[in-house]
């Protein structure tokens, strides 16, 4: 997490996976109670990636995770920022 790439909410990030078990880590700021949605869009565009998302708070505690959304290997998480 220490080397997470900062992004702004609403920003689209185009990442790449270069090897098996490659992980991209991003960080963003949100206000308490703010609605946030994070989504991997790869399989639905014909990509081979089977994405997995996990959202952690600033102290590293898991907020939520998602492996696959219905009928896709993509992942999506919608949540309200706890703080």
């Amino acid at each position: 997490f220490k080397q997470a790439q900062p992004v702004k909410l609403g920003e689209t990030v185009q990442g790449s996976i270069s090897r098996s078990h490659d992980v991209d880590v991003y960080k963003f700021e949100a206000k308490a109670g703010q609605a946030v949605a994070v989504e991997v869009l790869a399989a639905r565009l014909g990509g081979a990636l089977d994405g997995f998302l996990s959202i952690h708070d600033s102290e590293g505690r898991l907020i939520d995770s998602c492996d696959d959304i219905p009928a896709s290997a993509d992942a999506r998480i919608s949540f309200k920022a706890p703080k």
Side-chain angles (χ1 to χ4, degrees):
F1 293 146
K2 291 180 182 179
Q3 296 180 4
Q5 177 182 336
V7 297
K8 294 181 180 178
L9 291 179
E11 185 175 7
T12 298
V13 177
Q14 184 173 346
S16 65
I17 303 298
S18 60
R19 66 189 181 285
S20 179
H21 302 322
D22 191 3
V23 175
D24 288 348
V25 181
Y26 303 94
K27 65 181 176 180
F28 58 87
E29 292 186 24
K31 295 183 172 149
Q34 184 175 2
V36 178
V38 180
E39 180 172 26
V40 172
L41 184 59
R44 290 171 287 162
L45 296 175
L49 179 70
D50 183 0
F52 179 86
L53 282 175
S54 63
I55 304 292
H56 300 259
D57 67 14
S58 61
E59 292 157 11
R61 291 183 296 248
L62 181 67
I63 294 173
D64 200 356
S65 64
C66 177
D67 188 7
D68 297 330
I69 59 174
S72 177
D74 288 335
R76 179 186 311 125
I77 298 174
S78 296
F79 67 101
K80 289 197 178 200
K83 60 180 178 174

